[in-house]
Amino acid sequence: MEKRLRSSLQSSAHEFISLATKQSLKSSKSSLKTLIHSIRPSSPLCSTLPSTLSDSISASVQSFQNLLEPNSATNPGSPRTPPSKRPRRSSRRSEPDSRHELLSRLEILAHIALLCVSHPRKPFSPSDLLPGVQALHDNLIVFESETVLASAIEGLCEEWWKENLAGRETLISQSLPFLLSRSLTLKKKVDVHRVCVLREAFALFDFEDKSIEDLKLLLVRCVISPLYLKTEDGRRFLAFVFGLSDQLGKELLAMIRSQIPFGRKSMLEAYGDILFRAWKAAQGDSRSEIGNGFLQDLIEAAIHASSGAFASYIRRVLGAFINQRTTDGVEKMLYRLTEPVIFRSLQVANSNVRQNALHLLLDMFPLEDPDATKEEKDTLLDKQFFLLERLLTDDCPEVRIIAVEGSCRVLHLFWEVVPSPIITKIITKIFDDISHDVSNEVRLSTLNGIIYLLGNPHSHEILKVLLPRLRHLMLDKVLTVRVAAVDLLLHLKDVRNFQFNKVVELELLLSALARDQPPVAQKITKLLLPSYFPSKLPIEEACNRCITLVKRDPMAGARFCQFALLEGASKSHLTELVKVFLSFILSPDKLDANQIEGFLVATSYVCDNLACEPYYINALKELLDGEKMRGLLAVAPKGQAQSSLFNIVSTVCPDDVAGLLEECMGVVTSCSGLPEDVDRQSEMRSAHKLLLSLGGFDDMFEALTAFLHKTAYRCHVKFGADMPSHIVSYAKRKKSKSSGKFSIKSKIINRKQSFEDDYLVAVGVAWQVRDLLLHEDNRKAILKSQSLEMSFFSLKVISEVSIVHCGHCEYMDTSPVLAYIALALQMTVDNVGRSSIQNGDTKRKKNKIDSSTLLSENVLELTIEHVLNCLEKLFGASDIMKNHNVDSCKLQPTNRTNQNQNSTQRRRPSPTDACRPSNHGE
């Protein structure tokens, strides 16, 4: 193909164009470029090819227009003629083919014209090419829907402009709006770059003419286009557009003003950059419109904005000018626009105005007139410091916050030039007064400001003396303030010649580490880690330091070990630390109870942290053999030490734990007074966790159920409460089949004691049941237990007695009722889930529990009915005591109760109504 084209090119320009237009553009692009760029200036084609190309373009454009308007050639003034004969079907079918051929031909011709214009030696006369290029340009709107051809025409016009060829001003009226529209539609950076390159061409348009409105709308759209705002070329182009017309500049400013309340950070900063570039390049009225008009309005709006957020948006736009204040004329303009309004705004009664004005002053600090004398500048600077110091004690906390942080920022940036008396005055006021402010946020801003001020090394000398005055913030009542206080210490740790323990004593730090909330304790751990568990020292030395910490303050040492892994301690080093701790606990050296407890709690925390990887679990399991377990059990008889031991065993799961399980069961069953004892509650949860992890949960729940059953039976005997007969036989059957890893001696359950003692034990058991239901694994184990039914009905009887007789017995407690309702709720949720899974089955398999009324999906509804009926009996009995003459019919159950009693005939569990006191005694 290239040979044929080369041969035709040697023959004549007409033959070359005729053959080239029969090819597809995609296949012939490279060949055409090679052939045309090989034409020398001395070749005859330099004179014949441009004219032939222009004629071919004009003829093809005319043919395309005729195809679009077949009757356009007819004389509009001629008399009406009969309609022409309808074309044959074959002719109608050929019209699309002709259209496609013409478009392909025009694409080839436009590409050849582009190759002629971009020829490196410029052998072709632009005047000969211009008519054809002009024809393509003038019909660009006709080809707008043809993407390939339109892009080729636009590219040809763009190249003509860039080559600065004659007549280029005639090729922009269609091409520039097309390129601008395409950049907004396709949103490609390359199109924005091409628009920016051609920006000088926009100056040729008459923006006062009415026909320019469409182009003006496109230019205004560019102002809100994210692509134009975020690219360098887009910002440069928009800044240039401001100088095209005064009226257009006003419209652009109005559009920017309307976008400020909704702008994102990047968009607002882009607007500021565009405005600064436009102001810098503008002259005369255009510059005055931006400076004296738009910027003056922004400054006033930033001060009087109704919300702090809106004011910050405006200041972000102004930030472009503030950051360029060293540019000639900028600082003078800012002073001239700001000085008349800002100082009086700092002293008005409206706190929002004071707050906004202070923000603006701090952004522009120091506000000064570059043309003023030194004395005038010093006077103005003293005025600003005076107002800043005054606002430190403003009535509005928000203003004080800004003043504190702003003062520290000013000192950080201008410490070297601020007079020493002013520095001393401001710093002293912050440390002595503001750090004790009644506002939490103001105290927090004090710490944040001091952290920022530490960035200036010149401030260190005075801060060494003043920083200990902030130690009281370590004990602040607000968590965020305490966290910021530790952040300050962490910052000091990285500053040379500062020692954090001279700011806050170690004893105070250890006290906070032991007792404060996790965010504070973790940061203190990070602060102390290089001192008490350094990674750069040998492991033996690191472990000895950690032991020293635990012995000095056991609970602080334990919390230190809790967060050591999160702050970068090595897992292998922590495993070694556990080994050292265990040896130290079991060593003959005497430790007091608090130290033993601290070491066990610390070991528990470390084991929890290492439990995520099997390798470290196996290493810990090797450390906890049977002999060590018995030794640990001997030194941890009760309290948090025993609870921590339970946690260690449940996490590591060592092999020989029989004795520990018996001890754990003893903790669970000794539960009288549990609801009021927070420490024992923590110990109880650890025991539950241990029994669940070692497979002893069923035996534990069976033992707890036995306690509940015993108390329920005594309620039945003492108060006459109904107790289903099958529950007694069910309990006996379960007892005979019990075969757990260990057993609870019957004398513990059947020991003789008063009803009140048994009831208080049942209250502790009920608390445990309710607490167990809060955790998913425990809840699943309870719902699968064979003792579930007996425990539920036992709680039902105990709850009934607890409600009805609470007025006569002071020891009655709400725990059984809460456990009763919680268990019913979980059973209902579980049954609904199982019912939804089995919903497609026509016949369900029924086991012993499924066939009972216990697992009815209405168990929660019936439980609530039961509780309400018990309350009715309680208040009904009170009415009888107050009004002896009340008719007995008034004591009959309500309609709701009657409905529930009738439902008994349908074999649903309904509330009993026989909870009347009897004379049976205990």
Side-chain angles (χ1 to χ4, degrees), residues 646-694:
F646 291 165
N647 285 332
I648 295 170
V649 175
S650 61
T651 302
V652 179
C653 297
D655 298 327
D656 188 2
V657 292
L660 189 61
L661 288 176
E662 293 289 344
E663 186 70 23
C664 189
M665 284 298 298
V667 171
V668 170
T669 54
S670 300
C671 55
S672 180
L674 180 61
E676 296 81 20
D677 194 335
V678 177
D679 293 334
R680 286 181 60 204
Q681 290 173 9
S682 176
E683 182 181 357
M684 202 66 65
R685 292 189 181 99
S686 300
H688 295 161
K689 180 180 176 182
L690 173 59
L691 290 168
L692 180 65
S693 63
L694 298 181

Side-chain angles (χ1 to χ4, degrees), residues 41 62 93 112 152 161 308 328 331 346 357 404 412 425 464 504 526 587 594 617 651 654 700 752 784:
Q62 186 63 48
R93 189 164 52 240
I112 293 175
W161 178 271
D328 186 34
E331 188 164 21
L346 289 170
V404 170
H412 168 82
K425 198 171 184 180
K464 280 183 182 180
V504 178
K526 181 178 181 179
S587 66
N594 290 333
I617 286 292
T651 302
M700 177 197 73
K752 292 184 179 182
K784 292 179 181 179

Side-chain angles (χ1 to χ4, degrees), residues 1 5 8 13-25 28 32 52-53 56-57 60 100-110 112:
M1 179 57 64
L5 287 172
S8 64
H14 185 272
E15 184 178 350
F16 170 73
I17 290 177
S18 176
L19 182 59
T21 53
K22 295 178 181 179
Q23 315 300 321
S24 67
L25 178 61
S28 59
L32 290 173
T52 304
L53 180 61
S56 298
I57 291 174
S60 299
H100 178 71
E101 290 175 1
L102 281 173
L103 291 174
S104 299
R105 179 181 178 85
L106 285 170
E107 290 173 7
I108 292 289
L109 294 175
I112 293 175

Side-chain angles (χ1 to χ4, degrees), residues 151-204:
S151 298
I153 295 173
E154 190 282 323
L156 175 60
C157 297
E158 180 183 350
E159 187 66 23
W160 198 282
W161 178 271
K162 288 162 64 177
E163 293 292 340
N164 198 20
L165 300 178
R168 67 176 187 168
E169 64 277 358
T170 63
L171 303 179
I172 61 172
S173 61
Q174 299 292 331
S175 60
L176 284 185
F178 173 82
L179 179 59
L180 197 60
S181 176
R182 188 173 68 176
S183 69
L184 293 170
T185 304
L186 300 182
K187 300 178 181 178
K188 292 183 178 180
K189 291 183 179 181
V190 63
D191 290 331
V192 175
H193 173 72
R194 295 167 70 182
V195 170
C196 184
V197 171
L198 299 177
R199 63 185 180 277
E200 298 292 341
F202 285 89
L204 299 177

Side-chain angles (χ1 to χ4, degrees), residues 579-597:
K579 180 180 179 181
V580 174
F581 277 176
L582 293 176
S583 301
F584 201 77
I585 295 171
L586 299 173
S587 66
D589 296 337
K590 288 187 177 182
L591 299 174
D592 59 38
N594 290 333
Q595 291 175 337
I596 292 175
E597 184 178 288

Side-chain angles (χ1 to χ4, degrees), residues 53-62 65 106 129-143 149 153 156-157 170-171 174:
L53 180 61
S54 293
D55 294 341
S56 298
I57 291 174
S58 300
S60 299
V61 169
Q62 186 63 48
Q65 290 177 344
L106 285 170
L129 285 171
L130 183 59
V133 177
Q134 184 76 54
L136 289 173
H137 169 268
D138 294 344
N139 290 274
L140 181 58
I141 192 171
V142 178
F143 304 124
L149 178 58
I153 295 173
L156 175 60
C157 297
T170 63
L171 303 179
Q174 299 292 331

Side-chain angles (χ1 to χ4, degrees), residues 368-380:
E368 61 181 15
D369 182 2
D371 298 333
T373 63
K374 184 179 184 303
E375 291 75 12
E376 292 173 336
K377 289 181 179 181
D378 290 342
T379 301
L380 183 61

